[in-house]
Amino acid sequence: MTGTEVRAVVGRRSAPAEDVVEFALHPVAGGELPAWEPGAHVDVVLGSGMVRQYSLCGDPADRTTYRIAVLRQADGRGGSAWLHDRLEVGEEIALRGPRNHFPLEPAGSYVFLAGGIGITPLLPMVRRVAASGAAWTLHYGGRTRASMAYLAELTDVDDLGGDCVNLVPQDEYGLIDLSAALDPAPPETAIYCCGPEPLIAAAEVACAARGLALRTERFSPREIADAVDTAFVVALAASGEELVVPAGRSIVDVLVEAGADILTSCEEGTCGTCELAVLAGTPDHRDSVLTDEERAAGDRILPCVSRASSERLVLDL
C-alpha cells in the first residue's frame, strides 16, 4: 500500500566507513522536511518498488536535510545494493515518515550499545544527551575500525562528555564487554541497543539479570520459538465485517485482499508502519517493535507478523 510521500533529492554522497554510503537528502521543492526526533527512521521507496527503512542520523534541528547511512549487505534482499549502485547526487527519491518506535526517553543516565551500522539511530541520541549534560557512555563495536562509521563525529561528541566513547573494533579487542559496560550503571539508567541480533540478544540477557531497562531497535526480525499458527477471526470495528485469518496467512494479507486501507512496508515486524489498535481480543505478538509493556497492554498489534491468541480480534479499522 502507498501513503503520503515526500520527494527528496540527493545532495551529497559520502563514505563514512567501508561498505557504508551516507546520503544527504533535501526536499525537492525547497522548504522543510517533516520534523523528527532521535531514534526515528524513514521509509525509502526505491525505484524498483522496494521499500526499506533507514534510521535518521543527522541533526533534528536541521529541517532542510535528512541523513541516512546504508550498509551494503551482500546477503540482503537487494535494497542496499540498489542504493549503493543506483542512487547518485541529483537524483530524486520518495520518502515516507518519519516514524519513531525507538524514542529517547528522559533518564538519570544512559548507556548506549552499538554494533556496526546500529550506530545510526544512536548517534543523534548521543549528541542530544551529551549536549544536555546528562551522564552517558557509548560502547561501539565493529569488525574493524575501517568498518565503523562516524568515528570522527563521535570524537567531537566525546569532547562534550569527557572520554565517554568506548570503541571496540573486534579485530583489536574482541566483542563489547557487557559486564564492564553495565555493571557501573545505576538502576535508573536507560540502556539503548542497536546492532546485530547476537549483540541485542546478549544485551537483553545482561540487562534482565541486572534489572536495567533496555530499549532496542532491530534491523531483522526477532526469532519466535515454538510459534504455532491457528485460524482466528478479525473483526473490523468501522464496518462490522468479520474475516477469517487461516493458518499460514497474515492478518495483513487477509485485510488487503478484502480491500481494507492499511499501510505496510517491511512486512516482517521491524518497522511499525502497519500498527493497528486492538479494541477486543488478545494479540499473539511476534513483532520486533513493541516493548514488553506495550505487548502486555494488548491494545495494539503489528498485523504483518502477529496473530491472535484469542478466537477473535476486533481492530480499529
Side-chain angles (χ1 to χ4, degrees):
M1 302 291 290
T2 59
T4 302
E5 295 183 350
V6 174
R7 300 294 301 180
V9 62
V10 180
R12 185 184 70 250
R13 274 180 62 124
S14 58
E18 286 181 353
D19 295 325
V20 176
V21 171
E22 183 194 88
F23 298 94
L25 307 172
H26 309 290
V28 169
E32 295 185 334
L33 293 160
W36 63 282
E37 289 294 315
H41 70 265
V42 289
D43 293 350
V44 178
V45 184
L46 309 183
S48 59
M50 295 183 290
V51 180
R52 297 292 183 268
Q53 292 74 42
Y54 295 100
S55 298
L56 293 169
C57 56
D59 180 1
D62 181 5
R63 297 280 300 278
T64 67
T65 306
Y66 283 166
R67 289 168 56 192
I68 60 171
V70 181
L71 170 68
R72 180 188 286 274
Q73 296 179 312
D75 57 350
R77 296 178 294 163
S80 64
W82 191 95
L83 287 163
H84 273 244
D85 298 338
R86 300 280 297 277
L87 191 62
E88 300 292 343
V89 173
E91 294 191 46
E92 293 186 16
I93 198 165
L95 307 174
R96 300 174 187 161
R99 298 183 181 86
N100 198 343
H101 293 276
F102 191 46
L104 180 65
E105 299 174 359
S109 58
Y110 298 84
V111 173
F112 300 99
L113 305 171
I117 200 63
I119 190 62
T120 50
L122 299 182
L123 187 58
M125 295 186 185
V126 168
R127 292 195 203 101
R128 174 75 58 86
V129 170
S132 76
W136 63 279
T137 57
L138 166 68
H139 303 267
Y140 177 20
R143 292 180 293 100
T144 64
R145 287 182 185 271
S147 73
M148 297 167 67
Y150 301 117
L151 296 187
E153 289 195 32
L154 286 169
T155 299
D156 293 339
V157 175
D158 205 21
D159 290 339
L160 297 176
D163 197 28
C164 295
V165 176
N166 177 33
L167 300 179
V168 191
Q170 187 174 351
D171 63 338
E172 298 177 33
Y173 303 111
L175 301 176
I176 294 172
D177 185 340
L178 292 179
S179 293
L182 299 174
D183 284 348
E188 71 277 7
T189 303
I191 317 297
Y192 284 81
C193 181
C194 185
E197 185 59 29
L199 171 62
I200 293 177
E204 288 176 331
V205 172
C207 287
R210 293 165 173 79
L212 295 170
L214 175 66
R215 295 139 177 96
T216 65
E217 180 163 76
R218 284 175 158 88
F219 294 137
S220 58
R222 66 188 180 102
E223 293 185 7
I224 308 295
D226 303 322
V228 177
D229 286 4
T230 57
F232 57 94
V233 171
V234 291
L236 311 188
S239 65
E241 184 177 6
E242 297 199 348
L243 304 168
V244 175
V245 181
R249 295 197 69 197
S250 71
I251 298 175
V252 160
D253 285 344
V254 172
L255 291 176
V256 170
E257 185 176 79
D261 183 15
I262 178 172
L263 185 65
T264 65
S265 182
C266 75
E267 299 192 26
E268 59 182 16
T270 58
C271 74
T273 302
C274 64
E275 181 179 312
L276 295 174
V278 175
L279 303 180
T282 305
D284 174 11
H285 294 294
R286 303 184 184 185
D287 65 274
S288 303
V289 174
L290 300 180
T291 64
D292 290 341
E293 293 78 10
E294 290 168 337
R295 293 191 182 103
D299 59 358
R300 64 186 76 179
I301 190 171
L302 276 294
C304 63
V305 293
S306 295
R307 301 184 67 78
S309 297
S310 55
E311 295 182 355
R312 186 170 179 269
L313 279 182
V314 182
L315 304 178
D316 187 14
L317 191 65

